[in-house]
Amino acid sequence: MPFRIEEVQIDGPGPGEVLVQVRAAGLCHSDLSVLEGLRKRPLPIVGGHEGAGVVMEVGAGVVGLSAGDHVAMAAVAGCGRCRVCSAGRPGLCQAVTGARAEGLLATGARRLHLGNGDRLNHYSGISVYAEYAVVAAPSLVRIDRRVPLDIAAMFGCAVVTGAGAVFNSAKVRSGSSVAVVGLGGVGLTAVMAAREAGASRIVGLDIQPDKFALARAAGATDCVDAHSPEAVQHVRELTDGGVDYSFEISGNLAAVGLAQEVTARGGEVICVGVGRTDAQFTVQQMQLVTEERVIRGSFMGGGIPQQDIPRFAAMYLDGKLPVDLLRSKHIQFAELNHGFDLLAQGGTVRQILLPHGVV
Ligand SMILES: [Zn+2]
Ligand SMILES: [Zn+2]
């Protein structure tokens, strides 16, 4: 079901909420899976879950943010009170997951309405395919003004997920070998982060070899066609029997199998891509034990965006995470549906919607 561009109503920020002028919003594969009906969300809904903008107004009780601040808008925002939030894992917060399934903000409020006053849902607590957004304060991370807003937009999903998988979930060691299966925005960020972590060999795998030039620019030492019948053997030869860490970004089951097969004895598979809710994969039990294999899930970077995004932004400003490489082009509202067609064909990495026409 395509997006329709129309005027809607937005309330001012309630307690704990912030009104943001959205200046840039990325087109991500998980938006595409909603459009294609693979992930169910309550309709009608304003899409978009990675963006950046400028704070216009803060609601009662919001601390640490004020009008004029530049912010990245992150899809992870825990309640701050429950068991997992207290343990520093806001991405696992069940209260917020429940609010999202109902199309609400993390505060439990709905601030969007259709032109006739009927209800309109929030997507991932953000809804950035819009000129303005009201969001819960924990969805925002203040970001250094030296980071251009069209770059800052990619920190909320692609960058925090890819870099977080490497630094927080896997904790890649210097000198180790890494494979990244799926070279979109998240995968390319994982490649950059693996280089920064000191990985000595970084193998990029994708079914579209036209992504390999970008992967090499991001830091891949080798690239392998994931459709090639020799792909597994090729990676094993390059890495003395397989990689220490294999990141699976696509969520596709065949790719999960490939990620397992290219991993060495004692190595770790980090599953980052979200697949179908009913998908299952199998592991050989004997191999799991005798080869001390690890299979790990990593959701949205497995960290705390309030800490990670400023850290990754500093790495960007130091030239260590060249996120500019991910930006394919700017688009306007009229091109949004065409942009998702292009994304479905696999020909772009990150198209950035500019809701106000300019960054
Ligand atoms: Zn995303
Ligand atoms: Zn929580």
Side-chain angles (χ1 to χ4, degrees):
M1 186 183 292
F3 283 110
R4 283 205 319 263
I5 312 301
E6 54 185 84
E7 288 210 356
V8 301
Q9 299 174 29
I10 185 165
D11 300 336
E17 298 166 1
V18 178
L19 173 66
V20 179
Q21 183 188 49
V22 183
R23 300 291 291 274
L27 275 64
C28 172
H29 259 279
S30 39
D31 300 296
L32 189 60
S33 26
V34 174
L35 285 176
E36 291 174 341
L38 299 177
R39 294 174 79 205
K40 301 288 180 215
R41 287 288 182 273
L43 300 177
I45 196 163
V46 177
H49 66 276
E50 99 177 358
V54 180
V55 171
M56 304 291 291
E57 188 185 338
V58 298
V62 173
V63 289
L65 287 170
S66 47
D69 281 348
H70 286 198
V71 286
M73 306 170 79
V76 162
C79 73
R81 296 179 297 277
C82 72
R83 173 178 162 180
V84 290
C85 284
S86 303
R89 306 180 78 181
L92 309 184
C93 178
Q94 216 158 23
V96 170
T97 307
R100 272 164 199 209
E102 294 177 54
L104 301 172
L105 296 179
T107 56
R110 179 181 282 109
R111 302 294 176 205
L112 292 169
H113 316 277
L114 289 172
N116 65 6
D118 281 358
R119 81 180 198 181
L120 179 59
N121 293 298
H122 296 269
Y123 179 50
S124 288
I126 305 252
S127 290
V128 280
Y129 297 157
E131 292 175 319
Y132 296 92
V134 168
V135 302
S139 302
L140 300 177
V141 182
R142 197 165 54 191
I143 195 160
D144 192 311
R145 283 169 177 275
R146 289 174 295 167
V147 181
L149 286 166
D150 60 335
I151 298 295
M154 296 185 280
F155 278 71
C157 174
V159 174
V160 85
T161 304
V166 168
F167 294 120
N168 297 331
S169 303
K171 300 182 176 66
V172 167
R173 293 182 309 270
S174 177
S176 58
S177 55
V178 165
V180 177
V181 183
L183 298 171
V186 175
L188 290 168
T189 306
V191 168
M192 295 174 201
R195 175 170 66 179
E196 179 55 19
S200 55
R201 201 101 202 196
I202 304 167
V203 185
L205 294 107
D206 201 285
I207 55 174
Q208 291 184 313
D210 57 0
K211 291 186 175 159
F212 293 168
L214 211 46
R216 288 199 177 88
T221 55
D222 307 272
C223 290
V224 172
D225 183 346
H227 266 168
S228 158
E230 287 95 43
V232 172
Q233 194 193 339
H234 192 172
V235 178
R236 285 184 181 161
E237 283 167 10
L238 287 167
T239 56
D240 188 23
V243 296
D244 299 309
Y245 305 94
S246 154
F247 294 86
E248 202 300 296
I249 314 291
S250 73
N252 174 293
L253 279 186
V256 176
L258 179 62
Q260 290 185 77
E261 286 189 69
V262 300
T263 307
R265 301 163 75 91
E268 185 164 327
V269 177
I270 302 95
C271 292
V272 179
V274 176
R276 297 178 58 102
T277 43
D278 58 351
Q280 309 253 348
F281 70 93
T282 55
V283 179
Q284 196 190 336
Q285 194 269 350
M286 176 71 99
Q287 198 184 37
L288 182 71
V289 176
T290 62
E291 299 184 6
E292 297 196 344
R293 287 171 178 273
V294 175
I295 296 171
R296 182 188 298 283
S298 175
F299 180 59
M300 300 297 299
I304 304 173
Q306 263 67 17
Q307 293 172 13
D308 289 340
I309 288 179
R311 180 162 64 111
F312 299 154
M315 291 167 67
Y316 164 76
L317 290 168
D318 285 346
K320 294 170 179 168
L321 273 186
V323 176
D324 309 67
L325 288 175
L326 308 181
R327 181 183 49 192
S328 306
K329 63 171 178 170
H330 293 151
I331 65 167
Q332 309 296 330
F333 274 119
E335 300 161 282
L336 188 59
N337 286 313
H338 176 63
F340 277 105
D341 290 343
L342 286 180
L343 189 64
Q345 290 157 19
T348 65
V349 178
R350 268 307 193 263
Q351 302 167 86
I352 308 289
L353 171 72
L354 302 181
H356 295 271
V358 290
V359 175

